[in-house]
Amino acid sequence: MVTDVNITETLTAMETDSEDKAQSEPKIKNIDWISCKDFTIEIGEQQIRQYMDTWDIQQPGWLYSLRFLQETELEFKTQYQYEAKWSIPTPTAPIPRATASVYFILQISKIKPNTLPVDAHFLVETNRSKHIPGQTRFREKWLMDVIESKILLMDTVDF
């Protein structure tokens, strides 16, 4: 059976479909990261807070604490590591049963121009995927999955 296919019409339809999808999905948010030459540990913390404020968190009550963990000198870069610990405390349970950590790494290159922005990425606890601000849309579900798995594990352990 021979089918007459108009390539131009097919490509136009495919482009329209992808444009419709792009318009229906929310834009991936990011911030303007500070230049390497102006970076300090405190500014890094402020920038991480500013970036996390762009996340689309639906469930009310989420709180986090952010702390600087360590500075690591490598051959071609310096890494600054931070931990954001997320939980949903409530009036009846002000100390949550479990928390979920998001680890941020801000890198200052020793070989690239220091006028470039810091290189930022983050990892969600128990997940190996490296997420890059502006390229990855944060999912609140990642936090919930970590907390739910910890609670399930704690329920199986008898003290």
Side-chain angles (χ1 to χ4, degrees):
M1 179 170 141
V2 177
T3 307
D4 228 3
V5 177
N6 185 329
I7 299 297
T8 306
E9 287 178 13
T10 304
L11 290 174
T12 304
M14 290 171 63
E15 287 174 4
T16 305
D17 287 347
S18 64
E19 287 172 6
D20 291 343
K21 281 184 183 177
Q23 290 174 359
S24 65
E25 291 182 17
K27 186 176 182 244
I28 297 174
K29 298 175 185 171
N30 198 2
I31 63 167
D32 292 326
W33 293 91
I34 193 158
S35 67
C36 293
K37 67 179 176 155
D38 297 326
F39 178 83
T40 65
I41 291 171
E42 293 76 22
I43 290 174
E45 185 174 321
Q46 291 170 4
Q47 291 247 277
I48 291 168
R49 289 180 190 280
Q50 183 183 0
Y51 172 66
M52 288 191 300
D53 286 345
T54 70
W55 291 353
D56 189 23
I57 304 288
Q58 298 295 316
Q59 184 170 338
W62 280 106
L63 296 177
Y64 68 86
S65 65
L66 180 63
R67 67 184 181 116
F68 173 73
L69 295 176
Q70 67 181 11
E71 176 181 339
T72 307
E73 288 288 335
L74 301 171
E75 186 176 1
F76 299 112
K77 60 189 168 191
T78 304
Q79 291 184 334
Y80 298 87
Q81 298 173 21
Y82 300 81
E83 177 189 27
K85 198 171 279 203
W86 288 82
S87 66
I88 306 176
T90 63
T92 56
I95 300 174
R97 289 184 66 196
T99 61
S101 291
V102 179
Y103 297 97
F104 286 87
I105 298 173
L106 304 182
Q107 297 179 145
I108 308 297
S109 175
K110 294 179 181 178
I111 55 175
K112 293 180 183 175
N114 66 358
T115 54
L116 292 175
V118 298
D119 179 32
H121 65 271
F122 64 94
L123 303 126
V124 179
E125 179 181 2
T126 73
N127 192 326
R128 291 185 180 186
S129 298
K130 176 176 145 178
H131 303 286
I132 300 171
Q135 294 181 15
T136 305
R137 181 175 292 106
F138 181 81
R139 308 271 193 242
E140 181 179 7
K141 183 178 180 348
W142 298 339
L143 298 176
M144 290 303 298
D145 289 347
V146 170
I147 289 174
E148 288 170 5
S149 65
K150 285 181 176 182
I151 290 172
L152 283 171
L153 178 65
M154 284 189 289
D155 289 344
T156 64
V157 177
D158 292 326
F159 289 99

